[in-house]
Amino acid sequence: KKKKKKKKPIVCLIIGMAGSGKTTLLQRLNSHSHQHKIPSYILNLDPAVAKVPYSPNIDIRETVQYKEVMKQYNLGPNGGILTALNLFATRFGQVMGFVDKRAEEVKYCYVDTPGQIEVFTWSASGQIITETFASSYPTVLVYVVDTPRTVNSPTTFMSNMMYACSIMYKSQLPFIIAFNKVEVTSHETATRWMTDFDAFQEAINQDKSYMSTFTRSMSLVLDEFYKNIRTVGVSAATGLVRFDFPQITRN
């Protein structure tokens, strides 16, 4: 008899710039999971957050005291977050043990990351955590973008896309861009810029700064990157989330 394959949850690593709405989006996904009785597992990896609007199954703050780390090692805020994450990563085998016990029961494992994106995406501890998840479960990176700030400036848009591109190729994992705060500004402009080269060039032509030349040349380079990217518009604050979002991650 063939052995049944063990069910594996999809791990969604939620990353993005500070203020993009990562934690609020996770709260909305958590509410959606409860409402539709979708079994999910939540990890909070931000040691410096004062409160989270959801109840995580595993919380880094219960293991590492961020302020104590700052005092003990004489560090600033960013150094404290990075060191706390490094200390937590040394015990990540135990974390995986807890996730493994629930693996056959849950469909999704959502991971909230620190507000300072570089602390997670460019640190050794962030790489260890990402690769550990990816080696055991299907893992997706969800890059949350502040839509109003992005579509108001082609240069800001390009900065976001370059960062997204570098993270995707560094991690080599499936990648979704979640354009957040669409209740304020629609993400249609951003998606049009990704699919219509001429529309983006027209927007750049209105910018007379020296950065526009660089942005124009980079748009040619990123054209191939856009073809491999899934995008979704979300409003974590109001709940106007396209809730085929979990299905997009599953695809």
Side-chain angles (χ1 to χ4, degrees):
K1 289 183 180 179
K2 287 184 179 179
K3 287 185 179 179
K4 282 186 179 178
K5 284 186 179 180
K6 287 185 178 181
K7 288 182 181 178
K8 291 186 176 183
I10 292 173
V11 176
C12 298
L13 296 169
I14 300 177
I15 60 175
M17 301 291 184
S20 60
K22 298 183 294 296
T23 299
T24 311
L25 176 60
L26 184 44
Q27 177 201 16
R28 191 60 62 182
L29 289 168
N30 185 42
S31 300
H32 176 76
S33 297
H34 283 297
Q35 182 184 348
H36 295 276
K37 297 181 180 177
I38 302 168
S40 302
Y41 202 78
I42 297 177
L43 284 79
N44 170 46
L45 297 184
D46 189 348
V49 66
K51 289 181 182 178
V52 287
Y54 53 82
S55 299
N57 298 90
I58 295 175
D59 194 333
I60 188 174
R61 296 173 300 169
E62 294 175 0
T63 306
V64 185
Q65 299 299 316
Y66 162 68
K67 288 184 179 178
E68 289 302 315
V69 168
M70 285 177 64
K71 286 179 186 176
Q72 186 177 342
Y73 296 99
N74 194 26
L75 298 168
N78 282 0
I81 295 170
L82 181 59
T83 305
L85 200 61
N86 287 343
L87 292 169
F88 190 71
T90 63
R91 302 177 65 178
F92 207 71
Q94 291 174 262
V95 173
M96 290 301 291
F98 289 120
V99 176
D100 290 342
K101 286 178 184 176
R102 296 287 305 279
E104 292 193 52
E105 302 170 26
V106 300
K107 275 193 173 183
Y108 297 97
C109 178
Y110 295 114
V111 183
D112 197 4
T113 59
Q116 287 75 6
I117 186 172
E118 69 281 357
V119 168
F120 185 79
T121 54
W122 299 105
S123 67
S125 50
Q127 187 172 354
I128 288 167
I129 291 168
T130 302
E131 289 179 356
T132 303
F133 272 128
S135 64
S136 302
Y137 303 107
T139 303
V140 179
L141 284 172
V142 181
Y143 183 76
V144 184
V145 173
D146 185 336
T147 308
R149 290 188 66 187
T150 299
V151 301
N152 284 340
S153 165
T155 304
T156 305
F157 169 82
M158 183 54 63
S159 298
N160 254 309
M161 293 304 105
M162 285 175 65
Y163 213 109
C165 178
S166 63
I167 294 168
M168 188 184 84
Y169 285 115
K170 181 177 183 289
S171 65
Q172 297 185 345
L173 290 173
F175 202 88
I176 297 170
I177 295 178
F179 287 105
N180 194 19
K181 306 181 185 180
V182 295
E183 82 282 2
V184 178
T185 306
S186 172
H187 68 297
E188 287 179 7
T189 299
T191 52
R192 187 170 71 253
W193 285 349
M194 294 174 74
T195 54
D196 188 341
F197 179 79
D198 292 331
F200 186 65
Q201 293 302 308
E202 189 178 325
I204 294 172
N205 289 337
Q206 296 172 19
D207 183 359
K208 302 301 180 183
S209 70
Y210 74 96
M211 276 297 293
S212 63
T213 305
F214 175 70
T215 303
R216 189 177 290 104
S217 60
M218 285 307 302
S219 63
L220 288 165
V221 176
L222 292 185
D223 195 47
E224 190 65 31
F225 163 72
Y226 296 146
K227 292 174 185 176
N228 301 312
I229 287 296
R230 299 293 295 272
T231 62
V232 60
V234 299
S235 171
T238 65
L240 294 171
V241 181
R242 265 184 55 190
F243 270 118
D244 54 347
F245 178 75
Q247 187 59 44
I248 287 173
T249 62
R250 189 162 286 279
N251 289 342

